[in-house]
Amino acid sequence: MQTYSRHGKLVRDRIPQIIRKDGAEPVTYTADREEYRSRLRDKLGEEVAEFLEADEESAPEELADVLEVVRALAADLGIDADQLEKTREAKACARGGFADRIVWTGNR
């Protein structure tokens, strides 16, 4: 996979509009498909890191950012939200979820 310049970052679609409203003129370009996928993966890491650093008050917003990136990655892979949920449900049915808070420490 090709690596891209660290100059710039993937931002939400309305960010340029918000910057203009604040009186500045953003410099942007549209990533090609390969760069977009790479930058989405980077963005996922960034958003997960922000969630891990968040306090209880800001955690829901940060978690929503993670979900937004996950949905964008799924769409890029041709998976719609319903398909993604069905895949999650099937995996939860086969292997369980995390509600029981089980911590595995190895085998005997």
Side-chain angles (χ1 to χ4, degrees), residues 5 9 13 21-22 24 26 34-35 47 50 58-59 62 64-65 68 72 78 81 84 88-90 92 97 104:
S5 162
K9 70 178 195 171
D13 299 339
K21 184 179 173 199
D22 289 342
E34 187 178 338
E35 180 181 2
E47 297 299 350
E50 289 176 8
S58 61
E62 298 301 340
D65 289 344
E68 189 69 33
L84 187 60
R88 186 207 62 77
E89 285 176 355
W104 178 53

Side-chain angles (χ1 to χ4, degrees), residues 40-54 59 62-67 69-70 73:
L40 273 174
R41 288 172 180 258
D42 291 345
K43 190 64 149 181
L44 181 59
E46 175 189 324
E47 297 299 350
V48 167
E50 289 176 8
F51 169 74
L52 293 174
E53 294 293 320
E62 298 301 340
L63 195 54
D65 289 344
V66 171
L67 184 57
V69 176
V70 167
L73 280 163

Side-chain angles (χ1 to χ4, degrees), residues 7-61:
H7 183 70
K9 70 178 195 171
L10 188 64
V11 295
R12 289 174 176 264
D13 299 339
R14 294 189 59 222
I15 295 301
Q17 178 184 347
I18 292 167
I19 291 170
R20 282 185 196 97
K21 184 179 173 199
D22 289 342
E25 185 57 37
V27 177
T28 66
Y29 69 93
T30 302
D32 65 26
R33 186 174 200 100
E34 187 178 338
E35 180 181 2
Y36 175 63
R37 184 171 289 175
S38 177
R39 288 195 182 263
L40 273 174
R41 288 172 180 258
D42 291 345
K43 190 64 149 181
L44 181 59
E46 175 189 324
E47 297 299 350
V48 167
E50 289 176 8
F51 169 74
L52 293 174
E53 294 293 320
D55 58 21
E56 282 194 37
E57 186 177 321
S58 61
E61 190 168 315

Side-chain angles (χ1 to χ4, degrees), residues 1 3 9 14 29 62 71 80 83 90 99 104 106 108:
M1 179 181 275
T3 25
K9 70 178 195 171
R14 294 189 59 222
Y29 69 93
E62 298 301 340
R71 286 183 174 174
D80 67 25
Q83 247 183 309
W104 178 53
R108 292 183 195 164

